[in-house]
Amino acid sequence: MTMTKEEKKAQAEERARVKKIMDEVGRYLQSEVTTLEGKTKDKQIKYFSGASLVDALLSSKWGDENDDLFVETRKEAAEFCTGLLSSELFIALRTKTKKRPLDPEVEKKRKKSSKPLKFDVVNDAEMFIDSPESYYMWKYSPMGIWAWIIGIGVLMGVVAMALVPVWPGQAQIAFQYITNGSGVLVGIFFALLIVRLILFMAVWLFSKGVYHFWLLPNINDDKLGIMDTLKPFYTLDDYYLEKEKKERRSKRREAQRSAASGSELTGSAAEDKKNI
């Protein structure tokens, strides 16, 4: 059956909406999930466990009721992470050495001389596994604002410095204006950072620590693109409300873990009884 133009447009908009959500979740998880140093055949990597990824997702704003995405259980979170795996935001790994649970506290106590885990890349993995002994590494690495600024600045600077002696007089004057303008833009950026801090401190003091106000809250996030750093324009959060939400999500996650452990123990006991 041939699709109408309206149906094709709706389908394209839905794909764009889903991609936007997945990119946002991917950026968040990449900044929040604990990673450790490891090795593959040809390079050093930073890896994480499937359980830590699910924990981070359930502890995020998407763990509460949300219009864009709402994951309430570990099973739902794992299913969504399977979609991220299919979209190649991260890659599955298989250990070559003895497995070790990804526990930051245990990791801190390990001797510095201990060797990192060695992995093989699993390119054909189709299912995400919610386990402390399933490992993944990030493939998603968005170009940050500082990378754009530094890259473009270095490229323009090298070209300009090489060509200035052969430029006509008017071009040399224009170059001076450009370099002066660049200096002004850098000054505006740092002035903006100071204004943000002043506004934050003013709101924080007048509200006695209850409200946190940030102008352009993502301006320093180097994992975002240039336009994404300008959105949202500001945020105003209730500190105690956000703290309560995190505690509620943490309790719910612990309850789900306990229920899962209880189910495994019950199943093992039944199997043992059957064997007897």
Side-chain angles (χ1 to χ4, degrees), residues 39-227:
K39 289 183 177 180
T40 59
K41 184 178 180 180
D42 55 352
K43 64 179 179 179
Q44 295 278 347
I45 63 167
K46 289 186 177 182
Y47 69 93
F48 57 91
S49 74
S52 65
L53 191 71
V54 171
D55 288 343
L57 182 55
L58 291 174
S59 299
S60 69
K61 67 180 182 180
W62 297 286
D64 285 331
E65 292 191 20
N66 191 291
D67 292 337
D68 293 330
L69 174 66
F70 178 36
V71 286
E72 188 175 10
T73 65
R74 297 189 71 85
K75 182 179 179 181
E76 291 175 351
E79 289 174 353
F80 181 80
C81 290
T82 296
L84 296 180
L85 177 64
S86 300
S87 300
E88 298 186 349
L89 293 184
F90 53 83
I91 304 171
L93 301 171
R94 183 187 300 113
T95 54
K96 287 185 175 181
T97 53
K98 186 179 179 181
K99 291 184 178 181
R100 177 177 68 248
L102 187 78
D103 187 337
E105 297 302 323
V106 174
E107 183 67 17
K108 290 178 183 178
K109 296 177 182 178
R110 290 196 308 117
K111 294 181 179 180
K112 293 183 179 179
S113 59
S114 61
K115 295 182 179 179
L117 283 178
K118 294 182 180 180
F119 297 94
D120 287 323
V121 175
V122 183
N123 292 314
D124 57 349
E126 297 180 355
M127 185 65 67
F128 174 85
I129 302 174
D130 175 16
S131 168
E133 293 187 348
S134 62
Y135 302 107
Y136 303 89
M137 72 174 185
W138 291 108
K139 186 177 180 181
Y140 176 82
S141 54
M143 183 74 75
I145 184 172
W146 283 110
W148 281 102
I149 292 174
I150 293 173
I152 294 174
V154 169
L155 179 62
M156 292 181 63
V158 170
V159 173
M161 293 294 289
L163 297 178
V164 164
V166 298
W167 285 5
Q170 291 183 346
Q172 293 184 15
I173 294 174
F175 177 71
Q176 291 180 357
Y177 281 117
I178 292 172
T179 54
N180 292 338
S182 301
V184 171
L185 290 176
V186 172
I188 291 173
F189 178 77
F190 283 105
L192 178 61
L193 296 182
I194 295 172
V195 170
R196 293 174 74 245
L197 182 59
I198 292 173
L199 290 174
F200 173 85
M201 292 302 299
V203 174
W204 186 82
L205 288 172
F206 279 111
S207 66
K208 297 181 179 180
V210 174
Y211 291 104
H212 290 184
F213 174 83
W214 282 113
L215 181 68
L216 297 175
N218 294 323
I219 193 69
N220 290 323
D221 192 340
D222 59 359
K223 292 184 175 66
L224 297 178
I226 294 177
M227 297 306 298

